[in-house]
Amino acid sequence: MTYHDGFMVGDNIMQYDLKTLVGHARHLEDHGLYRRALRLWQEIATRSDASDDLRDLAWQQITRGVGIRAATGEPPQEVLPKPDRRYLVAEDKKRIQAYFKMGYTSAMICGLTGRSRSFVATCRKNATP
C-alpha cells in the first residue's frame, strides 16, 4: 500500500467523511502544502453532503486563503532556521575521534553526528598521527 498525504494512492476522496477532509486540509496548510490543501478544499466545496456553512468556508479558503498562497508559491508561515553547525566544530571533532577509537565506521559516525562524510573523513585524517 502506498500512502500520499495520509490517503492511499488511487483512493477515492469521496469515501472520507467531511470532518476528516477538513482536518487534513488544515494540517496541510499548517505545513505549507498549499496546493495539496487546495485540492481538498475544492473537494469539500463540491461535495453534495457538505452543509452550506462548510461549503462557504471551503470557497473562502479557495478564493482568499489557500488558493492565493498556492498560486503565489508562498513559503510556509514558520520557516525553520537551518542549523548553524559552525559553533560545534571543535566538539564534533572530539566526538568523531572518540567514535573512531571505539571502532565505529564513517557512515555510522555521519548518522550519529549529523556531519557530512567529508567532514568525518577530514577529522579521521587529521587525528591519525
Side-chain angles (χ1 to χ4, degrees), residues 48-69:
S48 60
D49 58 337
S51 67
D52 290 337
D53 292 336
L54 189 55
R55 271 198 209 106
D56 289 341
L57 172 67
W59 282 113
Q60 284 177 359
Q61 290 293 80
I62 292 167
T63 57
R64 296 187 201 128
V66 179
I68 292 172
R69 286 185 236 136

Side-chain angles (χ1 to χ4, degrees), residues 7-124:
F7 298 106
M8 198 167 114
V9 173
D11 263 1
N12 182 0
I13 293 178
M14 288 291 292
Q15 75 182 20
Y16 295 99
D17 67 296
L18 289 167
K19 186 175 181 180
T20 302
L21 291 177
V22 170
H24 195 63
R26 291 187 190 275
H27 174 77
L28 291 171
E29 285 176 51
D30 292 342
H31 286 80
L33 302 171
Y34 302 120
R35 287 186 298 174
R36 293 176 185 179
L38 180 63
R39 171 67 184 98
L40 292 179
W41 285 118
Q42 289 170 339
E43 177 65 32
I44 293 165
T46 57
R47 290 260 300 249
S48 60
D49 58 337
S51 67
D52 290 337
D53 292 336
L54 189 55
R55 271 198 209 106
D56 289 341
L57 172 67
W59 282 113
Q60 284 177 359
Q61 290 293 80
I62 292 167
T63 57
R64 296 187 201 128
V66 179
I68 292 172
R69 286 185 236 136
T72 60
E74 181 182 313
Q77 304 292 343
E78 298 177 23
V79 177
L80 297 175
K82 293 183 180 178
D84 184 16
R85 305 284 300 175
R86 285 179 272 165
Y87 68 96
L88 293 175
V89 171
E91 294 173 22
D92 283 350
K93 284 181 181 179
K94 290 176 187 174
R95 278 186 29 210
I96 289 169
Q97 291 169 1
Y99 284 137
F100 276 125
K101 288 178 184 173
M102 290 189 290
Y104 286 87
T105 65
S106 294
M108 294 167 75
I109 295 171
C110 289
L112 291 169
T113 61
R115 289 294 190 165
S116 67
R117 283 186 161 235
S118 171
F119 185 85
V120 171
T122 302
C123 290
R124 180 181 219 171

